[in-house]
Amino acid sequence: MTHWIDTLVRLRDCGQPAVVVTVASTRGSAPREAGTKMIVTAAAVHGTIGGGHLEHKAIAIARDLLIGGGPNALRRFPLGASLGQCCGGLVNLLFEPVIDAAPWLDALVELRRDGVDGVMVSTTNGVAAAGKLVVASNRTFGSVGGDVEEEVTALARQILTSGDGPRLLPLGDGEAALTVLLEPVRADEFAIVLFVAGASPGSTSARTNFRATYRRM
């Protein structure tokens, strides 16, 4: 399976704008876990956030962003009757347009090349996708701006130490308040996704998702 970083670098180098759709957080039953990514271009979709009406809606929103432009956007989706999905949980999706050089991508490529784990910090409320912070144990790249940079860097390094998964966190107060998504990017991580035919009783979906992540210790 091609890593999402490789896919995004290839699209960027070809001058093809894209929107990265990330499962920022979940509550209750959801088709995919936090950190799952899907990359949407005008003509193609790379990866999946679980299929169904949620994914179709996310693709439509991403393509509207490609046409109309705009900053990062965090959207909340209850998984019930309105989306025709039976999960019954809640999913927050982050939409990030990537339409320029995106130097943070080069930082992630460098960390993977060096075999170094990192944490990617994305703003979710109105800052362009290029305004991103990548944190490793001994270096940082980029910025999320504002007065929370030191706090965000410390939180990112806590995730590196603890091995925790993605975290969606509100930070700051008043006009300086922002919400950030902190995502670990492990240098030696890969994912296997199996789609199993069959549906449980009462389910509206005939696809079950299974995800296994291997990490060398």
Side-chain angles (χ1 to χ4, degrees), residues 149-161:
E149 194 107 344
E150 186 174 340
E151 180 182 2
V152 166
T153 300
L155 289 169
R157 287 184 170 142
Q158 286 178 16
I159 289 176
L160 284 174
T161 302

Side-chain angles (χ1 to χ4, degrees), residues 4-6 8-10 12-13 98 100-114 116 120 130 132 134 139-142:
W4 68 267
I5 294 174
D6 299 323
L8 201 54
V9 168
R10 176 175 56 80
R12 181 200 63 178
D13 292 349
V98 180
D100 55 16
W104 54 270
L105 262 179
D106 296 318
L108 291 177
V109 169
E110 180 181 323
L111 290 181
R112 291 180 69 209
R113 182 197 64 206
D114 295 345
V116 175
M120 182 171 61
K132 192 185 290 278
V134 178
R139 45 186 146 159
T140 61
F141 308 84

